Amino acid sequence: LDKSLEGLVSSSHPLPLKRVIVRRVVESAETPLSQAQCRAMFALSTRLVLQGPDPFQRQVGRQVLEAYGRYHRAEFEAFFNRGLVLGLLQRGYGELSNRDPAILDYIQAGLRLIMSCPSVLELFELLQVEALRLVCERPAPPLCARLCQLLGDFPQCLPRGRKLSLAFCQQLVRSIAHFQSQGSREAELRLYVSQVTQVSGLLRSVWKAEPDTLLPSLQELFAVISAADTSFEPSVALASLVQHIPLQMITVLIRSLTTDPNVKDASMTQALCRMIDWLSWPLAQHVETWVIALLKGLAAVQKFTILIDVTLLKIELVFNRLWFPLVRPGALAVLSHMLLSFQHSPEAFHLIVPHVVSLVHSFKRDGLPSSTAFLMQLTELIHCMMYHYSGFPELYEPILEAVKDMPKPTEEKIKLILSQSAWTSQSSSLPSCLSRLSGKSETGKTGLINLGNTCYMNSVIQALFMATDFRRHVLSLNLNGCNSLMRKLQHLFAFLAHTQREAYAPRIFFEASRPPWFTPRSQQDCSEYLRFLLDRLHEEERTLKALSSTKTSESIMNEESQKQEAVHKAQVFAEAPCMGSGERTLIEKMFGGKLKTTICCLNCKSMSQKEEAFTDLSLAFCPPTSLENVGPKCVECSEVKDDYVVQTNTSATSPAGETLLNNLEVNGGCDTIMNEGTIKDFSTEPNSENTTNSELNKVQDNRDMSQRLVGKNTLSVTDLLNYFLAPEILSGDNKYYCEKCASLQNAEKTMQIIEEPEYLILTLLRFSYDPKCHIRRKILDNVSLPLVLELPVKRATSSLAVVSGGWSVGVEFSDIGENLAKKLKPSGADEVTCPQLVPYVLSSVVVHSGVSSESGHYYSYARNVTGSGPSGLCHQSTALSLVSPQDKLLTEESPCTVVENELDTEMPREWFLFNDSRVTFTSFQSVQKITSRFPKDTAYVLFYKKQNSTCGFNTNSANGLWVNGDPPLQKDLMDAITKDNKLYLQEQELSARTQALQAASASCSFRPNGFDDNDPPGSCGPTGGGGGGGFSTVGRLVF
């Protein structure tokens, strides 16, 4: 029968005829046969299965083998024995190699036929050994997949015992590492992927049945991908294993990997690079999860060198994976993390910038919902990076054009994303004995290290930095090659905006800006420092401009050089048309206002007027004790004001139009306050003729206002401003020498603000000299700080336009508080000028903690306030609805009240507390309550920003030059910041490694940061507010 069958299948008869005859041969298997006949049929069918030249013969062999083996099981058991199986696995069959998958097909078919026979157990034991031997020989994907299919169907063939089972898993991992696809066509790739899936599925089954084998298998996997052997590149097919690793093991495994001292940096770098390559595997799940977890784990233990190297090596590869829909989700997740965490330098982002536009256009052409969703995510990521690294318009303009139709994230969202993604924001998984990573706080703001009682400087610098328009002007200056103080301030502002450090040490700026009479390492007055700093910056700019103009006049230049000089002069200092004159310095544009002082002789009615520039107003307190003996005499009323100082920082105007900043005070008494001076030589100007009110009315108005101020429980800044601007009677020892009368006469002195500054700086004069004790005492009275302040400005209505955001003063408002229009009305009849209330919003508050100006501590509250929005705030959601004065009358609310009520619903986390190195979120309520909660902590210097004003600054640049609102940095500044950020990451990494080595023997304590509302902000010590004198010795090492 076997001879007949063999001749039939090899004959040339028609295929249908052959099939009919074969069917009858298969049906005859039920008839009894001798042992020799059965053996002959088994041998023939085996030969046909393994060596059949065509599919028909191999199919016939399988059908005959299955039929005769089922009906003659005992004979087949004797035929399919250990010797046959071992020979097939070790030597093959004839010309058929033992590594041909057909061998395993035949063995699997034989096992099915003898499953109920006792001899199958012997074959299982044999296959357990042979399976391990086979995987050690690194079988090709087809053979390995076929073996895994056999082992999956017959798990009894899997190696038994922990040692053999573990060895099998580890060798199978290494076998996968050697897999390579044999073709590039889609059908071949699909087959390859299915083969890999078969192998990884078997490993998953083993890990599930024997959990003890999982961790050693993963260790073997890491050993494979971390190997530095350049002659062997592990297969991307290893990615198929990741989806079978329980996600619950991420924390344990990442901690083990990142803290293992035996894992070298080169090995970790190699492993991470290869894991990123796994993103190319089409069916892999959770690869991005493990990659991101490992990136975060390395950041937590401060191994920044690895992160930098891997990011720069692989960022372009990850970006290119976005072109392939199957792997796009994982690639975008990894790309987002890599870019958002790489915040010390634009290098990584700029590697992919040239490829962004083409990818965006591709997504748009697809038009698929999935492509649109990915495009929105990519656009948000790109906006975050352009915000963080502004200053490259030539790179970003094509991108902005490509994504102009896509929604743009808000600035608050961008800041939140960046702050949460930085390497320095990753929480460490190390034991608590290792110090907390000293990265930027969650505010995203940078503190200033106290260099030894330098909190007076730190608080002022932070307030100036948070004056958004001033900061932007400073950062936009072109000061290359200049070693001026403004250049050093620009350098300091740039580092505060872009450094990765938690706190920056402003040593260079401190040495350059410290007044010569300030003793180093001793506490000083922040108001005095602020005046000195602004005066220095002002005078320095005037000097540079004068030198520039002199040099230009002395040299003869051709037309081209004249053009270049003009461009240079235009860039040296921003010439934004803020207050009219184009020759004003930056300090004058930002902080300069004008004050007119008028002295009217009460005898002849002649008037003397003088206009002075100021950069800050010093507001004296109205003491209750000086009002006890208020009587009808004018001199007694004058004493109310003369006992306390009214100090103004002014600049006198010369006939030539030059301005000189100096410190002046209006002081009729003998109290001594910082930088005392005297206003002298009032120039006589045309007198006002309409002075019909009596002197008695003037005195009564002054007394009424003083009594109103004293009667209130808590003074407000508005009260002090009213008191500053209230008319003053000069009598007694303070009589005024009238040139017209040629004698000393009683006179009325009034001060009026005729030109308002962009930033109004108010200093509350809390320190007065006690002649009895010869000390300077501090006035601890609480002063309420209005969120919106209205500054009365008097100017000619015929020549000056109405300030945007102001209200007409032609309507009488109900006097629910301080009606500035009424209180400051001059004693005479209506003049040609009328007061206009210019609204200001609170920007910063410098607080002094202590009882003396020679001791204590300074810190500051500040918020983001710009002039670009309707409300002058950094967000648009609280835009003001400025209703008409008539509407105010109906509701009996002043404009200031309505504005403040609307602004009081502030955005969360809008205010910041700057306390030397420490920066935390706070609220306006904390600012208001600071003195009531901590009586020695009082507001000292206030910064108010004029509302609805941009000072000529267009921050909404259409061409994207100012992506984040701040101007682009000069290249040398950006390079310096990038270099320092890299140095900082190296310092952190070296410090972490040193501590890790000492962790076993050293004990450290963890001191958590408190919240600003829980404890008083503290004081300056010898090393300065917790900031110390600098970085630790370990931290300053460079490698």
Side-chain angles (χ1 to χ4, degrees):
L1 187 59
D2 60 303
K3 297 297 183 181
S4 302
L5 181 60
E6 185 176 9
L8 174 66
V9 296
S10 60
S11 68
S12 59
H13 293 297
L15 192 59
L17 178 60
K18 291 182 181 181
R19 293 185 187 278
V20 172
I21 298 175
V22 168
R23 189 180 308 116
R24 291 180 178 177
V25 171
V26 170
E27 291 174 355
S28 67
E30 300 178 10
T31 61
L33 295 175
S34 65
Q35 187 174 1
Q37 288 177 320
C38 289
R39 187 173 184 85
M41 291 299 294
F42 294 147
L44 174 61
S45 58
T46 299
R47 187 166 63 252
L48 290 176
V49 169
L50 297 178
Q51 291 185 321
D54 55 65
F56 173 71
Q57 292 191 28
R58 291 192 291 271
Q59 182 184 9
V60 170
R62 285 192 293 270
Q63 290 176 349
V64 172
L65 181 67
E66 183 176 352
Y68 281 81
R70 184 184 309 116
Y71 289 106
H72 306 278
R73 196 175 303 274
E75 289 78 6
F76 183 73
E77 182 181 6
F79 174 81
F80 192 75
N81 54 27
R82 175 185 176 89
L84 174 66
V85 174
L86 185 60
L88 289 174
L89 292 174
Q90 293 187 354
R91 297 184 298 275
Y93 186 85
E95 296 179 357
L96 188 67
S97 168
N98 65 329
R99 300 179 70 86
D100 194 302
I103 298 289
L104 295 178
D105 284 339
Y106 176 79
I107 292 176
Q108 183 169 359
L111 289 176
R112 288 198 188 100
L113 293 173
I114 63 168
M115 269 299 292
S116 59
C117 301
S119 62
V120 74
L121 299 177
E122 183 182 12
L123 294 181
F124 286 160
E125 292 179 0
L126 172 65
L127 288 173
Q128 290 174 10
V129 176
E130 288 301 307
L132 180 57
R133 179 189 62 80
L134 196 57
V135 297
C136 290
E137 294 177 355
R138 308 290 175 256
L143 179 61
C144 194
R146 193 63 194 84
L147 174 64
C148 291
Q149 182 181 352
L150 185 151
L151 298 177
D153 291 343
F154 296 96
Q156 302 91 332
C157 299
L158 283 168
R160 296 296 176 183
R162 187 179 186 280
K163 186 175 181 181
L164 291 178
S165 180
L166 182 56
F168 175 78
C169 291
Q170 292 174 327
Q171 292 302 322
L172 195 54
V173 168
R174 288 201 171 268
S175 294
I176 298 175
H178 284 77
F179 283 1
Q180 298 296 332
S181 175
Q182 301 302 316
S184 58
R185 290 181 299 181
E186 182 178 354
E188 294 171 328
L189 293 176
R190 288 182 179 275
L191 178 60
Y192 174 64
V193 170
S194 66
Q195 292 167 350
V196 174
T197 303
Q198 184 79 47
V199 178
S200 64
L202 177 68
L203 265 177
R204 175 181 179 274
S205 300
V206 176
W207 290 341
K208 190 173 182 180
E210 300 184 48
D212 289 346
T213 61
L214 175 57
L215 190 56
S217 299
L218 297 181
Q219 291 172 341
E220 190 72 18
L221 173 62
F222 183 78
V224 170
I225 63 175
S226 63
D229 184 6
T230 56
S231 63
F232 169 67
E233 184 62 30
S235 172
V236 180
L238 288 169
S240 62
L241 300 179
V242 175
Q243 59 190 318
H244 303 311
I245 306 173
L247 291 178
Q248 300 90 321
M249 296 185 66
I250 283 184
T251 304
V252 176
L253 290 177
I254 296 301
R255 181 185 302 166
S256 174
L257 284 176
T258 55
T259 59
D260 188 349
N262 297 319
V263 179
K264 305 301 180 184
D265 285 1
S267 300
M268 182 63 75
T269 302
Q270 191 72 272
L272 189 51
C273 285
R274 286 166 173 163
M275 287 179 67
I276 291 173
D277 291 340
W278 292 352
L279 291 170
S280 305
W281 189 252
L283 299 182
Q285 298 177 9
H286 310 310
V287 170
E288 70 278 6
T289 305
W290 284 91
V291 170
I292 293 173
L294 186 52
L295 291 171
K296 290 182 176 181
L298 290 170
V301 295
Q302 305 167 43
K303 293 186 177 180
F304 301 119
T305 302
I306 299 175
L307 293 170
I308 292 173
D309 292 343
V310 169
T311 302
L312 295 179
L313 279 172
K314 292 297 181 180
I315 192 75
E316 290 179 282
L317 180 142
V318 175
F319 183 83
N320 289 334
R321 292 297 174 265
L322 297 179
W323 289 93
F324 306 101
L326 274 178
V327 298
R328 186 178 293 158
L332 184 58
V334 174
L335 179 72
S336 299
H337 180 81
M338 294 176 77
L339 285 179
L340 292 172
S341 60
F342 198 93
Q343 294 186 16
H344 68 282
S345 164
E347 189 176 359
F349 177 53
H350 287 177
L351 286 174
I352 69 163
V353 162
H355 315 296
V356 170
V357 174
S358 58
L359 183 65
V360 169
H361 290 326
S362 174
F363 282 170
K364 288 184 175 180
R365 285 193 300 268
D366 285 349
L368 300 175
S370 60
S371 297
T372 303
F374 280 117
L375 179 57
M376 293 181 65
Q377 297 177 49
L378 179 64
T379 301
E380 181 177 279
L381 171 64
I382 297 301
H383 275 301
C384 288
M385 299 314 299
M386 291 191 297
Y387 175 94
H388 190 62
Y389 292 116
S390 60
F392 300 91
E394 72 282 3
L395 296 178
Y396 299 162
E397 283 177 348
I399 299 177
L400 288 172
E401 180 65 24
V403 301
K404 63 182 179 181
D405 299 330
M406 304 302 298
K408 180 181 179 181
T410 64
E411 185 174 356
E412 288 73 21
K413 184 176 182 180
I414 290 176
K415 289 180 178 178
L416 179 63
I417 292 173
L418 290 171
S419 65
Q420 292 176 345
S421 304
W423 287 333
T424 49
S425 70
Q426 307 303 325
S427 60
S428 177
S429 58
L430 294 177
S432 60
C433 62
L434 296 187
S435 64
R436 184 180 66 87
L437 178 62
S438 58
K440 272 191 175 182
S441 70
E442 60 176 346
T443 64
K445 303 296 182 183
T446 304
L448 287 171
I449 292 175
N450 194 311
L451 305 176
N453 285 320
T454 57
C455 57
Y456 65 90
M457 176 190 71
N458 291 348
S459 58
V460 165
I461 292 301
Q462 294 286 18
L464 290 174
F465 177 79
M466 294 297 287
T468 308
D469 287 347
F470 176 64
R471 178 183 74 246
R472 290 174 177 173
H473 274 84
V474 171
L475 292 176
S476 68
L477 300 177
N478 185 2
L479 301 174
N480 288 337
C482 178
N483 193 32
S484 62
L485 182 61
M486 183 65 79
R487 170 65 172 175
K488 293 179 174 63
L489 180 63
Q490 184 186 57
H491 186 274
L492 178 55
F493 277 7
F495 268 80
L496 284 177
H498 297 283
T499 184
Q500 291 283 294
R501 298 183 184 274
E502 179 185 30
Y504 181 74
R507 292 185 180 84
I508 296 176
F509 186 81
F510 172 67
E511 293 299 330
S513 64
R514 178 175 58 86
W517 60 89
F518 275 19
T519 305
R521 303 189 73 80
S522 63
Q523 186 61 278
Q524 305 293 343
D525 186 342
C526 76
S527 176
E528 185 178 2
Y529 172 78
L530 174 60
R531 293 192 191 98
F532 176 80
L533 175 61
L534 296 182
D535 184 55
R536 276 278 310 276
L537 294 171
H538 163 77
E539 292 295 338
E540 182 183 78
E541 182 178 352
R542 282 192 9 167
T543 303
L544 289 175
K545 286 185 174 181
L547 291 175
S548 176
S549 61
T550 302
K551 183 177 180 181
T552 304
S553 62
E554 291 178 353
S555 60
I556 301 176
M557 300 179 295
N558 57 32
E559 184 178 353
E560 185 64 24
S561 63
Q562 288 178 351
K563 290 181 180 178
Q564 294 176 355
E565 181 68 17
V567 172
H568 174 70
K569 289 180 65 179
Q571 291 177 341
V572 168
F573 284 96
E575 299 295 335
C578 245
M579 315 266 295
S581 174
E583 294 301 319
R584 303 180 70 190
T585 65
L586 177 59
I587 300 304
E588 290 176 301
K589 293 172 186 176
M590 292 287 102
F591 306 103
K594 284 188 179 179
L595 192 69
K596 182 172 75 173
T597 303
T598 303
I599 299 181
C600 177
C601 176
L602 298 180
N603 181 42
C604 66
K605 307 302 181 184
S606 64
M607 299 179 67
S608 174
Q609 294 182 334
K610 184 175 183 180
E611 292 185 3
E612 300 162 310
F614 68 87
T615 55
D616 80 298
L617 299 178
S618 297
L619 307 182
F621 283 74
C622 179
T625 55
S626 63
L627 295 176
E628 292 177 356
N629 299 320
V630 173
K633 294 183 179 181
C634 303
V635 64
E636 293 178 352
C637 293
S638 69
E639 288 174 358
V640 173
K641 195 166 185 178
D642 292 343
D643 285 346
Y644 276 68
V645 177
V646 179
Q647 183 178 350
T648 316
N649 193 24
T650 64
S651 85
T653 305
S654 65
E658 297 179 353
T659 59
L660 173 64
L661 290 184
N662 45 60
N663 299 318
L664 300 173
E665 70 175 31
V666 181
N667 184 9
C670 57
D671 294 345
T672 58
I673 306 294
M674 312 149 208
N675 296 349
E676 292 88 343
T678 307
I679 297 180
K680 302 178 181 179
D681 302 330
F682 290 92
S683 60
T684 304
E685 297 190 5
N687 299 332
S688 175
E689 298 177 358
N690 300 324
T691 55
T692 58
N693 285 2
S694 65
E695 299 174 19
L696 183 60
N697 289 337
K698 301 173 189 175
V699 176
Q700 187 65 36
D701 287 344
N702 194 4
R703 181 167 62 235
D704 290 345
M705 189 196 71
S706 299
Q707 289 173 340
R708 258 198 316 270
L709 298 184
V710 175
K712 298 180 65 174
N713 293 329
T714 301
L715 292 174
S716 71
V717 172
T718 307
D719 294 332
L720 301 185
L721 188 60
N722 289 344
Y723 180 62
F724 173 80
L725 295 172
E728 179 182 4
I729 301 300
L730 303 180
S731 59
D733 294 339
N734 294 328
K735 282 186 177 182
Y736 166 68
Y737 180 81
C738 177
E739 293 183 357
K740 189 173 182 180
C741 298
S743 62
L744 294 173
Q745 297 290 337
N746 291 342
E748 181 188 57
K749 180 173 69 173
T750 59
M751 288 188 292
Q752 299 170 348
I753 297 172
I754 60 174
E755 197 170 280
E756 73 279 8
E758 286 300 315
Y759 284 93
L760 175 65
I761 302 178
L762 302 176
T763 302
L764 310 186
L765 294 178
R766 292 189 173 276
F767 303 108
S768 62
Y769 181 71
D770 186 342
K772 296 181 182 179
C773 303
H774 302 286
I775 60 172
R776 296 176 64 190
R777 296 187 181 277
K778 179 179 177 181
I779 302 172
L780 297 174
D781 294 359
N782 190 11
V783 177
S784 66
L785 309 177
L787 194 59
V788 176
L789 176 72
E790 291 181 323
L791 184 70
V793 180
K794 279 196 174 183
R795 46 193 168 189
T797 57
S798 60
S799 60
L800 292 178
V802 177
V803 174
S804 172
W807 290 272
S808 168
V809 294
V811 180
E812 296 289 337
F813 301 115
S814 300
D815 191 3
I816 61 172
E818 299 77 38
N819 192 327
L820 298 179
K822 291 182 178 181
K823 292 177 183 175
L824 299 180
K825 186 175 181 180
S827 56
D830 292 341
E831 300 179 2
V832 293
T833 60
C834 58
Q836 180 178 4
L837 302 181
V838 180
Y840 282 78
V841 292
L842 184 61
S843 171
S844 303
V845 179
V846 179
V847 176
H848 178 263
S849 176
V851 295
S852 168
S853 62
E854 288 82 15
S855 63
H857 179 57
Y858 289 101
Y859 56 94
S860 56
Y861 293 93
R863 64 169 174 164
N864 290 312
V865 178
T866 67
S868 57
S871 65
L873 301 182
C874 62
H875 51 83
Q876 304 295 327
S877 60
T878 56
L880 299 179
S881 56
L882 301 181
V883 296
S884 65
Q886 289 79 2
D887 296 333
K888 300 287 194 308
L889 282 175
L890 296 176
T891 58
E892 296 191 355
E893 285 188 347
S894 70
C896 182
T897 305
V898 174
V899 172
E900 185 161 345
N901 287 342
E902 295 188 11
L903 282 179
D904 197 40
T905 59
E906 57 177 297
M907 290 284 285
R909 296 190 164 189
E910 181 188 29
W911 282 88
F912 305 94
L913 170 57
F914 296 90
N915 197 341
D916 286 335
S917 301
R918 185 165 173 255
V919 186
T920 54
F921 286 115
T922 186
S923 64
F924 182 59
Q925 286 71 25
S926 299
V927 181
Q928 290 176 311
K929 297 176 181 178
I930 187 67
T931 303
S932 61
R933 299 183 73 244
F934 307 108
K936 295 180 181 179
D937 293 29
T938 54
Y940 186 34
V941 179
L942 313 177
F943 285 71
Y944 279 89
K945 171 71 176 71
K946 187 166 74 171
Q947 206 172 315
N948 298 336
S949 170
T950 60
C951 193
F953 242 46
N954 179 20
T955 60
N956 299 321
S957 179
N959 59 8
L961 299 183
W962 293 22
V963 178
N964 66 347
D966 280 356
L969 295 183
Q970 305 291 333
K971 184 179 183 302
D972 59 334
L973 271 180
M974 180 60 76
D975 290 345
I977 292 169
T978 298
K979 181 179 179 181
D980 184 72
N981 283 340
K982 289 182 179 179
L983 174 62
Y984 163 71
L985 294 176
Q986 291 172 348
E987 291 171 357
Q988 293 293 309
E989 182 171 359
L990 182 58
S991 176
R993 292 175 185 271
T994 303
Q995 292 180 30
L997 293 175
Q998 299 172 347
S1001 57
S1003 60
C1004 306
S1005 60
F1006 176 70
R1007 180 183 176 185
N1009 285 328
F1011 186 65
D1012 65 280
D1013 285 346
N1014 296 334
D1015 303 292
S1019 61
C1020 282
T1023 59
F1031 297 106
S1032 64
T1033 305
V1034 173
R1036 296 301 297 171
L1037 294 178
V1038 182
F1039 60 95

